[in-house]
Amino acid sequence: MENIIEINDSKIITDILNRAFLTVAEQYNFTRENAPTFPAFIGTDRIDDFLNKGLKMYGYKIYGNIIGCAGYSYYKENIYFIERLATLPEYRHLGVGKKLVEYVENKIKDIGGEIVEIHVVDKNIILREWYKKLNYVEIRIDEIKTLPFNSCVMNKKLT
């Protein structure tokens, strides 16, 4: 049995993000020292901050366990960010991420959002291509001076 639920427990969210993003950190040699704000190293205090500032998070639950998460936050006008998409490594390639993205997109549509934007490690070509299959378009590369990578910004029109 599987379903998607709203989650507000920063410990659960942090655990999923840390575990899921650790594989990405290892792949690209991100460390707590060179990328302290990367989700593999984020703490519950930071997640609590995001939740208090309006981040809505959802968890993908299967047999009583939350194995993935995704959320959204308001950006400007009718544009929202999809954030913190993560699936535990042992559950990847089962369609969990796609279901979470579609669920969050529908939540954003329900509140009048017209465009969703995501930020992806620019070096992660596989993830960029995955988002393209979900009809996201690359719009720019943002340079991030405080991190060892740039961000590929992608968006999708919901209307």
Side-chain angles (χ1 to χ4, degrees), residues 8-23:
N8 295 302
D9 186 323
S10 61
K11 290 179 185 170
I12 293 171
I13 296 165
T14 302
D15 180 60
I16 292 168
L17 294 174
N18 291 169
R19 290 169 56 197
F21 278 89
L22 187 58
T23 60

Side-chain angles (χ1 to χ4, degrees), residues 28 120-131 138:
Y28 296 107
V120 178
V121 172
D122 69 322
K123 300 172 193 173
N124 195 335
I125 303 302
I126 292 171
L127 188 57
R128 288 166 60 177
E129 292 301 317
W130 182 81
Y131 274 110
E138 294 180 5

